[in-house]
Amino acid sequence: MLQAIGLTSTRHRGLPPAVDDLTFEAGSGSVTALLGPPGSGKTSTLRLMLELEPGRGVTYFRGRPLHRVAHPAREVGVLLGDVPGHPARTVRGQLRMLCAAAGVPASRADEVLDAVGLVGLGDQRIGTLSLGMDRRLALASALLADPHTLILDEPAEGLVAREADWLHGMLRSHADRGGTVLYTTRDPKEAARSAGHVVTIDSGRLLADQKAADFSRTRLRPRVAVRSPHAARLAAIVSREARAARRSVEVVTEASSSRLSVYGSSCAEIGDTAFRHGLPVHQLADEVGDTGPASRPRDSGVLGDGLRDNGLLRGGVSDCDPLSEGEGGDGAAAAARPATGIGAVAAASRRAAGGPAPAVESAGAQLPPRIRRRPARGPLRPVRYELRRLFGVRSTTLIVAVTLVASAAVSVVLARNGRAPLPNVLVAWPSLLPLPPAALGAGLLGALSFGDEFRYPALAAGRGTVPRRLGLLLAKLAVSAGVALSLGLLVVLVSAESLRLVYGGDLVQVPSNVMPLAASWSGLTVGCAWAGLLAAGIFRVTAAGVAAVLAVPVLMVPLIEAVPKAPTARSMSGLPGRLRELTWLQWPQEADRWVLALVRIVAHPVGTALTLSLSVLVCAYLFTSLRGRVRW
């Protein structure tokens, strides 16, 4: 069961809250429709329930608020808008990536594809899907972790009748298995046809809370639609004959002067009347007309924190009483459930939590709990998620291929004049370029690691912003480092093979200091990848990551080289021994050479610039994460 109690959104610039003291329930084994016109607060209600917007109130999912659920994806499946997936990713790849985020086996992707009828489209790109297929994929994403509750925001909007019927059939099937389904809609006919319970709101307040049968009887009225060139004369004749026969018939002239809506009659009676009087009829059809909700005006009294002053605090009844007979436009009752006051909300919250309900005081009643916007949780299997995210799109393969081809071409050109050092030839780094192609490619892949998260926020679908969790960050750092090292090794191998093919095998010789060169080359590629990743995570755009990579040789290195050097340099000889004494560690003498090599790499202008850049970016990432109150 889903229980929403006292939901109230935060005021903005003195405007009334989009949701005002809204309380309702959606039972298990039932489909509940949240009905309201555009701007009535339906989407804001869902976002308050999912703790995506600040406000007041509490929502219990089978007795627990969402932030108390260990695995939210296994409790609540969310569909808010279209699928936020990369257009070049396949349908199956998108679901398998989300399986890693939800902590379920990858085989679950094929199961939900079969359930939503997308088995034949598993290898199709997301960007090529139609609206109906995209909505099926969104429903499959919500069903991945087999949640008990489904929350959907206008899921049938824009769908053709066949696709809408299929979607509502899936929702009823989920409810028949004991699940809870809550979806929003603006169409009362859709709500009456597909839901078992209808909650009607307007201006963020509860108007009616009814079973679907009561809703259809009180809100939707059968009518006869008539179109005739003599509509006014036909209306007068029908009304006169109804008065003569003492029948309750209502004739309404529509906006078009040639169209009538007749309530309380039938097509046969209207057709016979028109035939007897020789009036032509161009349309005669049975329809169901929406009489519209009977909304009440808001009162002007407000509490200091922006909550509406209600009847319980004044010692009376709430101003959102059940609609009485005759208020619905057709004289039917709307059977609305009265909205609870603030004190009653607090009591209901305690009852739902299993605690005692205190008596409501006439003054100083307890406010409902505050809703805080909470960041999205990181993926449960972050490394697997990052691998599927990285290699699930063609851009990764394209960047690697372009990097290898460019590196081979630059190596061949550099080796032609014979003046460039062999290490520069192998890594394709001429003095004219600020960075070699491999470092630029690694930096671009690192920037896309976070840039694509913000551009296509698969992790944030219906659950807030992209998470800044330590597990996700470490997974991205590890995967980007592995890709950078692999790319650097491939560049050296491809360049060496290109040189052997063009100039023969005598040109490529293994240098004596191959290990220090390999360490410095690995540090450059990994450092560029991490710089791009962290900068894109801080500024939430891929271009910022690429700019951070280019800023290392273009800005940082000239600044470091511009620092005046001392006339006499001091030697760092004996540093490994002093480190050994400081840390009380006993490592082999061979390790001293590696320590000195690492120090020389960092002391190089490019190494110093890259180290400083990474230090600044790490501090900035931690600062922005802590500022957002992320719980690591």
Side-chain angles (χ1 to χ4, degrees):
M1 174 178 289
L2 183 153
Q3 298 170 302
I5 304 172
L7 297 181
T8 304
S9 59
T10 304
R11 289 177 177 272
H12 295 286
R13 300 178 181 177
L15 298 176
V19 181
D20 190 0
D21 197 16
L22 181 61
T23 299
F24 66 92
E25 292 183 358
S28 300
S30 166
V31 178
T32 302
L34 186 62
L35 174 67
S40 60
K42 302 186 299 296
T43 301
S44 297
T45 299
L46 299 188
R47 295 182 65 83
L48 285 172
M49 295 168 59
L50 297 171
E51 299 177 350
L52 303 181
E53 288 186 3
R56 286 192 177 275
V58 64
T59 302
Y60 291 103
F61 298 89
R62 291 196 291 181
R64 294 176 296 174
L66 191 60
H67 62 272
R68 298 293 185 186
V69 179
H71 301 292
R74 301 176 184 177
E75 178 64 34
V76 184
V78 180
L79 195 165
L80 300 180
D82 298 330
V83 179
H86 196 292
R89 199 181 305 279
T90 63
V91 171
R92 183 176 287 105
Q94 172 78 5
L95 292 178
R96 287 183 175 178
M97 182 184 70
L98 295 179
C99 283
V104 298
S107 59
R108 177 65 179 166
D110 295 323
E111 295 177 7
V112 295
L113 281 177
D114 185 32
V116 300
L118 291 180
V119 175
L121 301 179
D123 296 327
Q124 189 168 339
R125 307 290 175 182
I126 294 178
T128 63
L129 296 178
S130 63
L131 177 61
M133 297 299 103
D134 184 86
R135 206 61 56 84
R136 289 181 182 232
L137 177 57
L139 182 59
S141 302
L143 292 172
L144 264 182
D146 194 18
H148 176 269
T149 302
L150 287 179
I151 294 182
L152 311 97
D153 188 15
E154 299 198 9
E157 181 68 19
L159 297 182
V160 299
R162 181 173 58 85
E163 288 287 347
D165 291 341
W166 173 89
L167 177 63
H168 289 301
M170 286 290 296
L171 300 184
R172 286 192 296 270
S173 175
H174 183 81
D176 292 341
R177 294 194 300 269
T180 300
V181 178
L182 173 67
Y183 76 93
T184 65
T185 180
R186 65 183 68 179
D187 186 1
K189 299 177 185 177
E190 176 188 354
R193 183 174 59 252
S194 59
H197 201 85
V198 181
V199 177
T200 306
I201 66 172
D202 192 15
S203 299
R205 309 195 73 176
L206 180 67
L207 293 184
D209 190 344
Q210 307 164 281
K211 294 182 179 180
D214 297 333
F215 172 81
S216 300
R217 186 181 67 254
T218 59
R219 173 80 179 264
L220 302 180
R221 300 175 62 195
R223 67 184 179 186
V224 178
V226 185
R227 191 180 299 275
S228 171
H230 303 284
R233 183 180 175 189
L234 180 60
I237 293 174
V238 170
S239 300
R240 183 174 64 250
E241 290 185 355
R243 286 194 299 270
R246 295 184 178 182
R247 293 189 298 111
S248 177
V249 176
E250 179 183 359
V251 182
V252 178
T253 303
E254 303 291 342
S256 175
S257 58
S258 63
R259 178 180 167 87
L260 302 176
S261 293
V262 183
Y263 296 92
S265 186
S266 64
C267 288
E269 293 175 352
I270 301 300
D272 291 343
T273 301
F275 178 77
R276 286 196 307 269
H277 294 83
L279 299 178
V281 175
H282 295 169
Q283 179 188 9
L284 191 63
D286 288 319
E287 291 184 353
V288 177
D290 177 24
T291 60
S295 59
R296 288 177 174 267
R298 291 174 176 263
D299 54 18
S300 59
V302 295
L303 293 180
D305 68 336
L307 289 172
R308 184 73 49 183
D309 188 9
N310 54 36
L312 284 181
L313 292 184
R314 294 191 299 266
V317 296
S318 171
D319 63 348
C320 191
D321 296 328
L323 301 180
S324 58
E325 293 284 343
E327 290 184 11
D330 63 339
R337 179 184 299 174
T340 57
I342 295 177
V345 166
S349 302
R350 291 177 178 269
R351 286 196 299 269
V360 178
E361 300 179 0
S362 59
Q366 189 176 2
L367 294 175
R370 189 179 296 275
I371 299 176
R372 292 179 174 84
R373 184 184 301 168
R374 302 178 189 275
R377 297 172 183 256
L380 294 182
R381 298 174 181 174
V383 175
R384 185 178 300 180
Y385 166 82
E386 181 60 19
L387 288 173
R388 295 190 182 280
R389 187 210 60 78
L390 179 65
F391 295 104
V393 293
R394 294 172 292 185
S395 57
T396 301
T397 306
L398 180 62
I399 292 172
V400 172
V402 171
T403 300
L404 294 178
V405 172
S407 299
V410 172
S411 296
V412 172
V413 173
L414 279 178
R416 184 177 182 181
N417 55 23
R419 291 193 299 268
L422 181 59
N424 290 42
V425 174
L426 289 177
V427 300
W429 192 358
S431 57
L432 297 177
L433 294 180
L435 286 173
L440 292 176
L444 179 57
L445 290 175
L448 289 173
S449 181
F450 258 128
D452 282 349
E453 293 285 8
F454 289 101
R455 189 176 181 185
Y456 309 107
L459 288 178
R463 293 184 293 275
T465 58
V466 174
R468 293 175 178 267
R469 302 291 180 178
L470 183 59
L472 180 61
L473 175 62
L474 293 179
K476 288 184 177 294
L477 291 175
V479 172
S480 61
V483 172
L485 291 174
S486 302
L487 183 60
L489 178 61
L490 287 175
V491 164
V492 173
L493 295 178
V494 170
S495 299
E497 185 63 22
S498 301
L499 294 176
R500 187 195 65 80
L501 180 64
V502 176
Y503 300 111
D506 298 335
L507 179 61
V508 180
Q509 301 292 335
V510 178
S512 59
N513 57 342
V514 61
M515 297 307 294
L517 290 176
S520 61
W521 176 238
S522 302
L524 178 64
T525 55
V526 173
C528 289
W530 286 357
L533 186 149
L534 292 172
I538 294 170
F539 298 102
R540 304 183 180 186
V541 64
T542 303
V546 178
V549 174
L550 293 176
V552 173
V554 176
L555 296 179
M556 297 295 295
V557 172
L559 288 176
I560 292 174
E561 292 179 342
V563 176
K565 296 181 174 58
T568 58
R570 298 183 182 273
S571 175
M572 292 185 297
S573 60
L575 176 62
R578 292 191 292 270
L579 289 176
R580 189 184 297 110
E581 294 175 359
L582 180 64
T583 59
W584 297 345
L585 295 177
Q586 297 297 326
W587 56 70
Q589 296 296 329
E590 185 67 18
D592 293 352
R593 192 173 60 171
W594 289 96
V595 173
L596 288 176
L598 179 61
V599 172
R600 291 191 188 98
I601 293 173
V602 176
H604 191 274
V606 177
T608 304
L610 196 55
T611 302
L612 291 176
S613 298
L614 288 176
S615 301
V616 172
L617 290 173
V618 168
C619 293
Y621 188 91
L622 293 177
F623 174 75
T624 54
S625 300
L626 294 176
R627 188 178 181 182
R629 297 180 181 179
V630 172
R631 297 177 300 169
W632 297 93

